[in-house]
Amino acid sequence: MSLIWYYRNRIIESKYFRQNVRSKPDFPDIVRDFSKQVYEHAYRVLGNVEEAEEATQDVFLRIHRSLHSFRGDAVLSTWIWKITLNVCLTRRERLETMRRRRDPGDILEMHLPGDKSENAHEQVVRREQAEAVGRTISRLPQREATVITMFYLQEMTYAEISEILNIPPGSVATVLHRGRERLRKLLIGQPDEESHEV
Amino acid sequence: MKCDEIRKRIDEAYVPKRRTSLPPDVGLHLRSCDQCRSYCESLRTVEELLIEIPRVSPSPVLLNRLREIGGRDRVASPAPGRKLISWAHGMYLAGGIAAVVLSALPASLPTLLLSFALLVTALTTVSVHLLRRPLLGR
């Protein structure tokens, strides 16, 4: 009986193994292809370099540990993104708790001009403003920060975001609009009526 | 109230990353209302700034650390706490030893058959162990 089990398991395993060899990429390739995206997302959502670096390492550790169990029934990038979002969510929740205990911090206020900058000085100002917008993303609620980062920085489509977050594309548009509006209010220093839930 | 409606319509007409063309009556209102014009401009500016956010890259130190994660396992021996032999393999091995013991006893047909069966399982154990691919009891 044990021999039958042995050969049965052996057949199943070899089949599974062949399948994975065909569909699974190498870990160094994943690091090469996804490290920038994962880091950028973590940085924008978490708002600081140390947290982003730790989150990125955490993501790749998890990828490395579970790569053998990746069945290939989802697109690799979707699988990696889901891991990234989970790691960032956990870290953000922890950061939010710490932030709530401390002083709410300075409110970033910015004059938002309507016209495009023309000269060099205005370009520098504009770049600083863009960087400030980038920093402010981490102050948005988790979902809005995630969608804004995915849409504007990772340049994903509504369909891609909806697949990764498992929400309808219409909801992606709604979250994006809500996030952008909240961002606008934060930047002009207008109080936000809605609560800042994570 | 009218301004609220206008802003709602601006939001509806707004398509991210595209140049938004507003309905004529909204445009007319914007010409006369500073607040709504300012709202529309700030919305556009936020959109432009979002597109212009400078991209960040992981530091070379971080990249090295990430590459090391992959390198660790290639040279690694079995992780601490991982069994070198599974319980099933252990049973096969015990069977093999029993076969040797039985073959030393006075020969009879049942003893020989039992010894043969146990010897086969023992050989299987050895081959599986050599392959270092534990299949059962993982």
Side-chain angles (χ1 to χ4, degrees):
Chain A
M1 196 65 181
S2 314
L3 279 174
I4 296 168
W5 269 102
Y6 163 71
Y7 283 112
R8 179 186 164 275
N9 285 349
R10 191 68 203 254
I11 290 162
I12 291 169
E13 196 181 60
S14 62
K15 190 177 160 193
Y16 173 70
F17 191 70
R18 272 203 311 275
Q19 205 176 18
N20 281 341
V21 163
R22 199 171 51 235
S23 60
K24 231 191 306 174
D26 266 358
F27 184 75
D29 293 342
I30 294 177
V31 172
R32 191 195 57 214
D33 296 340
F34 291 94
S35 56
K36 194 176 183 305
Q37 293 174 41
V38 170
Y39 176 76
E40 179 143 51
H41 181 82
Y43 177 69
R44 292 302 171 197
V45 169
L46 299 171
N48 78 65
V49 175
E50 290 79 22
E51 282 289 334
E53 289 195 343
E54 280 179 26
T56 309
Q57 281 192 78
D58 201 1
V59 168
F60 281 95
L61 265 170
R62 286 187 193 198
I63 291 171
H64 186 252
R65 269 191 226 131
S66 352
L67 194 60
H68 70 277
S69 63
F70 174 67
R71 293 186 304 250
D73 51 2
V75 181
L76 182 77
S77 59
T78 308
W79 181 69
I80 291 171
W81 270 106
K82 283 186 176 170
I83 294 175
T84 308
L85 297 185
N86 279 336
V87 169
C88 290
L89 176 70
T90 314
R91 283 186 171 266
R92 244 190 83 121
E93 278 171 354
R94 192 172 50 78
L95 280 176
E96 284 290 323
T97 317
M98 282 161 63
R99 210 174 281 163
R100 264 187 230 120
R101 281 187 202 141
R102 287 201 312 259
D103 192 50
D106 56 330
I107 301 291
L108 181 74
E109 283 188 34
M110 186 196 279
H111 171 63
L112 292 175
D115 302 323
K116 274 235 166 195
S117 312
E118 292 295 327
N119 63 41
H121 172 70
E122 281 176 345
Q123 277 178 10
V124 172
V125 171
R126 180 103 183 157
R127 195 181 157 79
E128 279 171 7
Q129 283 180 336
E131 184 48 55
V133 171
R135 283 197 302 273
T136 315
I137 291 174
S138 66
R139 299 170 61 96
L140 296 175
Q142 164 76 21
R143 181 151 281 201
E144 291 166 20
T146 301
V147 171
I148 283 189
T149 310
M150 290 167 114
F151 186 76
Y152 287 102
L153 292 157
Q154 309 298 337
E155 297 182 358
M156 289 183 185
T157 61
Y158 283 3
E160 286 167 332
I161 298 170
S162 102
E163 196 194 333
I164 292 166
L165 295 177
N166 208 14
I167 54 172
S171 302
V172 175
T174 310
V175 175
L176 194 66
H177 172 261
R178 213 187 299 144
R180 206 174 34 233
E181 178 56 15
R182 207 189 296 268
L183 197 61
R184 190 186 70 82
K185 284 180 178 172
L186 275 171
L187 291 168
I188 60 172
Q190 202 173 318
D192 195 7
E193 302 88 35
E194 291 173 59
S195 61
H196 282 241
E197 81 281 9
V198 178
Chain B
M1 184 62 188
K2 195 164 192 293
C3 285
D4 283 349
E5 276 173 26
I6 291 290
R7 286 178 196 191
K8 205 175 168 187
R9 290 186 65 192
I10 292 171
D11 291 342
E12 282 165 5
Y14 189 82
V15 184
K17 293 184 186 172
R18 303 239 175 94
R19 186 130 194 107
T20 308
S21 55
L22 295 167
D25 56 327
V26 174
L28 207 66
H29 176 87
L30 290 182
R31 263 179 239 153
S32 60
C33 179
D34 284 348
Q35 284 186 328
C36 286
R37 195 168 55 243
S38 158
Y39 171 77
C40 198
E41 281 176 358
S42 64
L43 199 67
R44 202 184 70 210
T45 309
V46 168
E47 170 83 10
E48 285 169 359
L49 291 173
L50 276 167
I51 294 166
E52 289 169 24
I53 290 174
R55 301 299 193 258
V56 289
S57 296
S59 66
V61 178
L62 177 64
L63 280 175
N64 276 339
R65 269 190 242 148
L66 297 180
R67 286 188 202 110
E68 276 168 18
I69 295 171
R72 250 178 250 164
D73 259 23
R74 271 182 219 152
V75 286
S77 50
R82 188 179 153 188
K83 288 175 194 167
L84 279 172
I85 187 162
S86 70
W87 64 269
H89 294 161
M91 283 183 71
Y92 289 142
L93 205 61
I97 294 164
V100 174
V101 172
L102 281 172
S103 61
L105 292 173
S108 69
L109 190 63
T111 319
L112 278 173
L113 282 174
L114 192 61
S115 303
F116 180 73
L118 290 170
L119 203 64
V120 169
T121 53
L123 286 172
T124 313
T125 308
V126 171
S127 62
V128 166
H129 193 65
L130 285 176
L131 282 169
R132 289 178 184 278
R133 301 265 303 274
L135 300 170
L136 299 167
R138 201 165 12 182

mmCIF file of all heavy atoms in Angstrom, chain B residues 69-110:
data_model
loop_
_atom_site.group_PDB
_atom_site.id
_atom_site.type_symbol
_atom_site.label_atom_id
_atom_site.label_comp_id
_atom_site.label_asym_id
_atom_site.label_seq_id
_atom_site.Cartn_x
_atom_site.Cartn_y
_atom_site.Cartn_z
ATOM 1 N N ILE B 69 18.586 37.639 -0.790
ATOM 2 C CA ILE B 69 17.481 36.769 -0.357
ATOM 3 C C ILE B 69 17.435 35.533 -1.256
ATOM 4 O O ILE B 69 17.284 34.416 -0.795
ATOM 5 C CB ILE B 69 16.116 37.523 -0.424
ATOM 6 C CG1 ILE B 69 16.086 38.667 0.575
ATOM 7 C CG2 ILE B 69 14.950 36.567 -0.176
ATOM 8 C CD1 ILE B 69 14.884 39.596 0.433
ATOM 9 N N GLY B 70 17.594 35.758 -2.550
ATOM 10 C CA GLY B 70 17.566 34.649 -3.506
ATOM 11 C C GLY B 70 18.797 33.776 -3.409
ATOM 12 O O GLY B 70 18.723 32.567 -3.605
ATOM 13 N N GLY B 71 19.959 34.410 -3.099
ATOM 14 C CA GLY B 71 21.207 33.672 -3.055
ATOM 15 C C GLY B 71 21.323 32.757 -1.850
ATOM 16 O O GLY B 71 22.005 31.748 -1.895
ATOM 17 N N ARG B 72 20.593 33.124 -0.778
ATOM 18 C CA ARG B 72 20.715 32.386 0.474
ATOM 19 C C ARG B 72 20.387 30.909 0.318
ATOM 20 O O ARG B 72 21.094 30.063 0.803
ATOM 21 C CB ARG B 72 19.748 32.980 1.498
ATOM 22 C CG ARG B 72 20.445 33.709 2.601
ATOM 23 C CD ARG B 72 19.421 34.281 3.514
ATOM 24 N NE ARG B 72 19.372 35.720 3.400
ATOM 25 C CZ ARG B 72 18.371 36.458 3.844
ATOM 26 N NH1 ARG B 72 17.333 35.899 4.382
ATOM 27 N NH2 ARG B 72 18.402 37.759 3.718
ATOM 28 N N ASP B 73 19.317 30.634 -0.437
ATOM 29 C CA ASP B 73 18.841 29.251 -0.505
ATOM 30 C C ASP B 73 19.680 28.355 -1.387
ATOM 31 O O ASP B 73 19.675 27.151 -1.221
ATOM 32 C CB ASP B 73 17.403 29.228 -1.020
ATOM 33 C CG ASP B 73 16.438 29.042 0.115
ATOM 34 O OD1 ASP B 73 16.827 29.379 1.250
ATOM 35 O OD2 ASP B 73 15.341 28.556 -0.140
ATOM 36 N N ARG B 74 20.398 28.952 -2.345
ATOM 37 C CA ARG B 74 21.157 28.119 -3.271
ATOM 38 C C ARG B 74 22.266 27.350 -2.570
ATOM 39 O O ARG B 74 22.571 26.245 -2.916
ATOM 40 C CB ARG B 74 21.740 28.997 -4.370
ATOM 41 C CG ARG B 74 20.761 29.122 -5.496
ATOM 42 C CD ARG B 74 21.355 29.929 -6.591
ATOM 43 N NE ARG B 74 20.303 30.774 -7.130
ATOM 44 C CZ ARG B 74 20.502 31.931 -7.689
ATOM 45 N NH1 ARG B 74 21.707 32.426 -7.785
ATOM 46 N NH2 ARG B 74 19.502 32.624 -8.160
ATOM 47 N N VAL B 75 22.870 27.986 -1.584
ATOM 48 C CA VAL B 75 23.959 27.318 -0.871
ATOM 49 C C VAL B 75 23.492 26.719 0.448
ATOM 50 O O VAL B 75 24.245 26.051 1.123
ATOM 51 C CB VAL B 75 25.120 28.310 -0.589
ATOM 52 C CG1 VAL B 75 25.883 28.612 -1.854
ATOM 53 C CG2 VAL B 75 24.599 29.581 0.053
ATOM 54 N N ALA B 76 22.249 26.964 0.757
ATOM 55 C CA ALA B 76 21.787 26.564 2.084
ATOM 56 C C ALA B 76 21.584 25.067 2.201
ATOM 57 O O ALA B 76 21.155 24.407 1.265
ATOM 58 C CB ALA B 76 20.480 27.269 2.403
ATOM 59 N N SER B 77 21.918 24.568 3.363
ATOM 60 C CA SER B 77 21.621 23.183 3.684
ATOM 61 C C SER B 77 20.193 23.150 4.227
ATOM 62 O O SER B 77 19.583 24.203 4.360
ATOM 63 C CB SER B 77 22.624 22.698 4.712
ATOM 64 O OG SER B 77 22.666 23.629 5.748
ATOM 65 N N PRO B 78 19.676 21.971 4.566
ATOM 66 C CA PRO B 78 18.317 21.954 5.092
ATOM 67 C C PRO B 78 18.152 22.930 6.248
ATOM 68 O O PRO B 78 19.050 23.063 7.080
ATOM 69 C CB PRO B 78 18.143 20.519 5.572
ATOM 70 C CG PRO B 78 19.095 19.735 4.778
ATOM 71 C CD PRO B 78 20.243 20.641 4.480
ATOM 72 N N ALA B 79 17.012 23.595 6.253
ATOM 73 C CA ALA B 79 16.755 24.610 7.278
ATOM 74 C C ALA B 79 16.796 23.984 8.665
ATOM 75 O O ALA B 79 16.489 22.800 8.805
ATOM 76 C CB ALA B 79 15.379 25.218 7.035
ATOM 77 N N PRO B 80 17.183 24.749 9.675
ATOM 78 C CA PRO B 80 17.239 24.183 11.015
ATOM 79 C C PRO B 80 15.884 23.620 11.411
ATOM 80 O O PRO B 80 14.862 24.248 11.165
ATOM 81 C CB PRO B 80 17.610 25.372 11.898
ATOM 82 C CG PRO B 80 17.920 26.495 11.002
ATOM 83 C CD PRO B 80 17.519 26.154 9.634
ATOM 84 N N GLY B 81 15.912 22.491 11.993
ATOM 85 C CA GLY B 81 14.660 21.880 12.435
ATOM 86 C C GLY B 81 14.035 20.973 11.395
ATOM 87 O O GLY B 81 13.116 20.227 11.687
ATOM 88 N N ARG B 82 14.550 21.041 10.143
ATOM 89 C CA ARG B 82 13.967 20.187 9.109
ATOM 90 C C ARG B 82 14.517 18.775 9.249
ATOM 91 O O ARG B 82 15.713 18.584 9.422
ATOM 92 C CB ARG B 82 14.327 20.747 7.731
ATOM 93 C CG ARG B 82 13.608 20.045 6.616
ATOM 94 C CD ARG B 82 13.983 20.671 5.301
ATOM 95 N NE ARG B 82 13.846 19.698 4.243
ATOM 96 C CZ ARG B 82 14.235 19.912 3.023
ATOM 97 N NH1 ARG B 82 14.797 21.048 2.691
ATOM 98 N NH2 ARG B 82 14.077 18.987 2.106
ATOM 99 N N LYS B 83 13.631 17.785 9.161
ATOM 100 C CA LYS B 83 14.061 16.404 9.351
ATOM 101 C C LYS B 83 14.840 15.934 8.138
ATOM 102 O O LYS B 83 14.485 16.238 6.998
ATOM 103 C CB LYS B 83 12.833 15.517 9.518
ATOM 104 C CG LYS B 83 12.144 15.700 10.838
ATOM 105 C CD LYS B 83 10.881 14.854 10.836
ATOM 106 C CE LYS B 83 9.984 15.261 11.965
ATOM 107 N NZ LYS B 83 8.650 14.702 11.815
ATOM 108 N N LEU B 84 15.904 15.188 8.389
ATOM 109 C CA LEU B 84 16.668 14.626 7.279
ATOM 110 C C LEU B 84 15.939 13.439 6.683
ATOM 111 O O LEU B 84 16.069 13.123 5.516
ATOM 112 C CB LEU B 84 18.061 14.194 7.775
ATOM 113 C CG LEU B 84 19.081 15.314 7.887
ATOM 114 C CD1 LEU B 84 20.331 14.794 8.555
ATOM 115 C CD2 LEU B 84 19.423 15.892 6.526
ATOM 116 N N ILE B 85 15.174 12.768 7.496
ATOM 117 C CA ILE B 85 14.447 11.591 7.025
ATOM 118 C C ILE B 85 13.041 11.633 7.610
ATOM 119 O O ILE B 85 12.851 11.951 8.781
ATOM 120 C CB ILE B 85 15.222 10.303 7.390
ATOM 121 C CG1 ILE B 85 14.556 9.086 6.760
ATOM 122 C CG2 ILE B 85 15.405 10.122 8.888
ATOM 123 C CD1 ILE B 85 15.462 7.869 6.700
ATOM 124 N N SER B 86 12.045 11.333 6.770
ATOM 125 C CA SER B 86 10.669 11.409 7.255
ATOM 126 C C SER B 86 10.311 10.127 8.002
ATOM 127 O O SER B 86 11.026 9.130 7.927
ATOM 128 C CB SER B 86 9.727 11.614 6.071
ATOM 129 O OG SER B 86 9.691 10.430 5.318
ATOM 130 N N TRP B 87 9.167 10.195 8.694
ATOM 131 C CA TRP B 87 8.765 9.014 9.478
ATOM 132 C C TRP B 87 8.536 7.820 8.574
ATOM 133 O O TRP B 87 8.836 6.683 8.930
ATOM 134 C CB TRP B 87 7.521 9.319 10.312
ATOM 135 C CG TRP B 87 6.287 9.619 9.483
ATOM 136 C CD1 TRP B 87 5.898 10.840 9.060
ATOM 137 C CD2 TRP B 87 5.348 8.679 8.977
ATOM 138 N NE1 TRP B 87 4.770 10.754 8.305
ATOM 139 C CE2 TRP B 87 4.386 9.422 8.247
ATOM 140 C CE3 TRP B 87 5.195 7.302 9.043
ATOM 141 C CZ2 TRP B 87 3.312 8.837 7.607
ATOM 142 C CZ3 TRP B 87 4.116 6.712 8.404
ATOM 143 C CH2 TRP B 87 3.186 7.469 7.690
ATOM 144 N N ALA B 88 8.017 8.066 7.372
ATOM 145 C CA ALA B 88 7.735 6.956 6.449
ATOM 146 C C ALA B 88 9.042 6.302 6.011
ATOM 147 O O ALA B 88 9.153 5.075 5.961
ATOM 148 C CB ALA B 88 6.971 7.481 5.242
ATOM 149 N N HIS B 89 10.030 7.154 5.706
ATOM 150 C CA HIS B 89 11.329 6.598 5.309
ATOM 151 C C HIS B 89 11.948 5.800 6.447
ATOM 152 O O HIS B 89 12.578 4.767 6.239
ATOM 153 C CB HIS B 89 12.268 7.713 4.879
ATOM 154 C CG HIS B 89 11.819 8.399 3.628
ATOM 155 N ND1 HIS B 89 12.265 9.628 3.260
ATOM 156 C CD2 HIS B 89 10.963 8.001 2.669
ATOM 157 C CE1 HIS B 89 11.688 9.967 2.126
ATOM 158 N NE2 HIS B 89 10.894 9.000 1.742
ATOM 159 N N GLY B 90 11.728 6.304 7.654
ATOM 160 C CA GLY B 90 12.229 5.607 8.839
ATOM 161 C C GLY B 90 11.625 4.221 8.946
ATOM 162 O O GLY B 90 12.315 3.249 9.277
ATOM 163 N N MET B 91 10.340 4.122 8.616
ATOM 164 C CA MET B 91 9.674 2.811 8.677
ATOM 165 C C MET B 91 10.241 1.863 7.629
ATOM 166 O O MET B 91 10.425 0.664 7.862
ATOM 167 C CB MET B 91 8.168 2.983 8.477
ATOM 168 C CG MET B 91 7.490 3.521 9.741
ATOM 169 S SD MET B 91 5.729 3.658 9.575
ATOM 170 C CE MET B 91 5.249 1.946 9.568
ATOM 171 N N TYR B 92 10.496 2.435 6.424
ATOM 172 C CA TYR B 92 11.093 1.609 5.367
ATOM 173 C C TYR B 92 12.452 1.072 5.817
ATOM 174 O O TYR B 92 12.798 -0.081 5.592
ATOM 175 C CB TYR B 92 11.286 2.429 4.092
ATOM 176 C CG TYR B 92 9.992 2.766 3.377
ATOM 177 C CD1 TYR B 92 9.830 4.009 2.777
ATOM 178 C CD2 TYR B 92 8.956 1.847 3.274
ATOM 179 C CE1 TYR B 92 8.666 4.345 2.111
ATOM 180 C CE2 TYR B 92 7.785 2.176 2.609
ATOM 181 C CZ TYR B 92 7.637 3.410 2.035
ATOM 182 O OH TYR B 92 6.507 3.734 1.379
ATOM 183 N N LEU B 93 13.199 1.952 6.446
ATOM 184 C CA LEU B 93 14.539 1.586 6.899
ATOM 185 C C LEU B 93 14.466 0.477 7.958
ATOM 186 O O LEU B 93 15.219 -0.509 7.913
ATOM 187 C CB LEU B 93 15.227 2.830 7.481
ATOM 188 C CG LEU B 93 16.745 2.838 7.450
ATOM 189 C CD1 LEU B 93 17.259 2.759 6.029
ATOM 190 C CD2 LEU B 93 17.268 4.099 8.122
ATOM 191 N N ALA B 94 13.482 0.630 8.845
ATOM 192 C CA ALA B 94 13.272 -0.399 9.875
ATOM 193 C C ALA B 94 12.905 -1.718 9.217
ATOM 194 O O ALA B 94 13.354 -2.798 9.641
ATOM 195 C CB ALA B 94 12.174 0.037 10.827
ATOM 196 N N GLY B 95 12.106 -1.636 8.137
ATOM 197 C CA GLY B 95 11.724 -2.839 7.377
ATOM 198 C C GLY B 95 12.941 -3.527 6.804
ATOM 199 O O GLY B 95 13.053 -4.762 6.824
ATOM 200 N N GLY B 96 13.855 -2.737 6.269
ATOM 201 C CA GLY B 96 15.078 -3.274 5.677
ATOM 202 C C GLY B 96 15.909 -4.019 6.716
ATOM 203 O O GLY B 96 16.387 -5.134 6.465
ATOM 204 N N ILE B 97 16.025 -3.408 7.883
ATOM 205 C CA ILE B 97 16.790 -4.042 8.962
ATOM 206 C C ILE B 97 16.109 -5.361 9.370
ATOM 207 O O ILE B 97 16.766 -6.393 9.542
ATOM 208 C CB ILE B 97 16.926 -3.080 10.168
ATOM 209 C CG1 ILE B 97 17.784 -1.874 9.754
ATOM 210 C CG2 ILE B 97 17.555 -3.774 11.380
ATOM 211 C CD1 ILE B 97 17.683 -0.687 10.677
ATOM 212 N N ALA B 98 14.762 -5.296 9.453
ATOM 213 C CA ALA B 98 14.012 -6.504 9.807
ATOM 214 C C ALA B 98 14.228 -7.596 8.771
ATOM 215 O O ALA B 98 14.335 -8.782 9.105
ATOM 216 C CB ALA B 98 12.528 -6.169 9.925
ATOM 217 N N ALA B 99 14.296 -7.204 7.482
ATOM 218 C CA ALA B 99 14.517 -8.176 6.402
ATOM 219 C C ALA B 99 15.852 -8.885 6.587
ATOM 220 O O ALA B 99 15.951 -10.109 6.415
ATOM 221 C CB ALA B 99 14.480 -7.457 5.060
ATOM 222 N N VAL B 100 16.862 -8.107 6.931
ATOM 223 C CA VAL B 100 18.191 -8.688 7.135
ATOM 224 C C VAL B 100 18.152 -9.678 8.298
ATOM 225 O O VAL B 100 18.678 -10.799 8.215
ATOM 226 C CB VAL B 100 19.243 -7.569 7.399
ATOM 227 C CG1 VAL B 100 20.595 -8.162 7.768
ATOM 228 C CG2 VAL B 100 19.370 -6.694 6.164
ATOM 229 N N VAL B 101 17.467 -9.287 9.374
ATOM 230 C CA VAL B 101 17.358 -10.148 10.559
ATOM 231 C C VAL B 101 16.618 -11.438 10.211
ATOM 232 O O VAL B 101 17.037 -12.544 10.555
ATOM 233 C CB VAL B 101 16.649 -9.395 11.723
ATOM 234 C CG1 VAL B 101 16.355 -10.326 12.887
ATOM 235 C CG2 VAL B 101 17.520 -8.242 12.177
ATOM 236 N N LEU B 102 15.495 -11.278 9.460
ATOM 237 C CA LEU B 102 14.685 -12.447 9.090
ATOM 238 C C LEU B 102 15.457 -13.415 8.184
ATOM 239 O O LEU B 102 15.320 -14.630 8.291
ATOM 240 C CB LEU B 102 13.394 -12.007 8.389
ATOM 241 C CG LEU B 102 12.263 -11.510 9.307
ATOM 242 C CD1 LEU B 102 11.138 -10.924 8.484
ATOM 243 C CD2 LEU B 102 11.723 -12.667 10.165
ATOM 244 N N SER B 103 16.241 -12.844 7.262
ATOM 245 C CA SER B 103 16.983 -13.703 6.333
ATOM 246 C C SER B 103 18.037 -14.540 7.066
ATOM 247 O O SER B 103 18.471 -15.576 6.588
ATOM 248 C CB SER B 103 17.639 -12.872 5.235
ATOM 249 O OG SER B 103 18.536 -11.972 5.820
ATOM 250 N N ALA B 104 18.413 -14.096 8.250
ATOM 251 C CA ALA B 104 19.391 -14.843 9.043
ATOM 252 C C ALA B 104 18.739 -16.039 9.760
ATOM 253 O O ALA B 104 19.426 -16.963 10.191
ATOM 254 C CB ALA B 104 20.033 -13.912 10.064
ATOM 255 N N LEU B 105 17.403 -16.026 9.863
ATOM 256 C CA LEU B 105 16.677 -17.111 10.533
ATOM 257 C C LEU B 105 16.591 -18.343 9.624
ATOM 258 O O LEU B 105 16.774 -18.228 8.406
ATOM 259 C CB LEU B 105 15.267 -16.636 10.907
ATOM 260 C CG LEU B 105 15.170 -15.553 11.992
ATOM 261 C CD1 LEU B 105 13.730 -15.069 12.111
ATOM 262 C CD2 LEU B 105 15.684 -16.072 13.327
ATOM 263 N N PRO B 106 16.260 -19.543 10.158
ATOM 264 C CA PRO B 106 16.120 -20.739 9.301
ATOM 265 C C PRO B 106 15.089 -20.503 8.202
ATOM 266 O O PRO B 106 14.014 -19.942 8.442
ATOM 267 C CB PRO B 106 15.621 -21.813 10.276
ATOM 268 C CG PRO B 106 15.940 -21.321 11.622
ATOM 269 C CD PRO B 106 16.054 -19.850 11.564
ATOM 270 N N ALA B 107 15.422 -20.892 6.957
ATOM 271 C CA ALA B 107 14.611 -20.573 5.780
ATOM 272 C C ALA B 107 13.303 -21.346 5.740
ATOM 273 O O ALA B 107 13.269 -22.538 5.988
ATOM 274 C CB ALA B 107 15.419 -20.858 4.521
ATOM 275 N N SER B 108 12.214 -20.605 5.419
ATOM 276 C CA SER B 108 10.915 -21.220 5.116
ATOM 277 C C SER B 108 10.251 -20.289 4.104
ATOM 278 O O SER B 108 10.680 -19.132 3.949
ATOM 279 C CB SER B 108 10.067 -21.339 6.382
ATOM 280 O OG SER B 108 9.681 -20.059 6.805
ATOM 281 N N LEU B 109 9.213 -20.750 3.413
ATOM 282 C CA LEU B 109 8.614 -19.932 2.338
ATOM 283 C C LEU B 109 8.051 -18.597 2.852
ATOM 284 O O LEU B 109 8.384 -17.544 2.301
ATOM 285 C CB LEU B 109 7.527 -20.731 1.610
ATOM 286 C CG LEU B 109 6.997 -20.079 0.339
ATOM 287 C CD1 LEU B 109 8.078 -19.935 -0.734
ATOM 288 C CD2 LEU B 109 5.803 -20.829 -0.208
ATOM 289 N N PRO B 110 7.237 -18.576 3.916
ATOM 290 C CA PRO B 110 6.725 -17.278 4.389
ATOM 291 C C PRO B 110 7.833 -16.318 4.819
ATOM 292 O O PRO B 110 7.778 -15.121 4.540
ATOM 293 C CB PRO B 110 5.859 -17.644 5.600
ATOM 294 C CG PRO B 110 5.613 -19.094 5.501
ATOM 295 C CD PRO B 110 6.721 -19.710 4.712
#
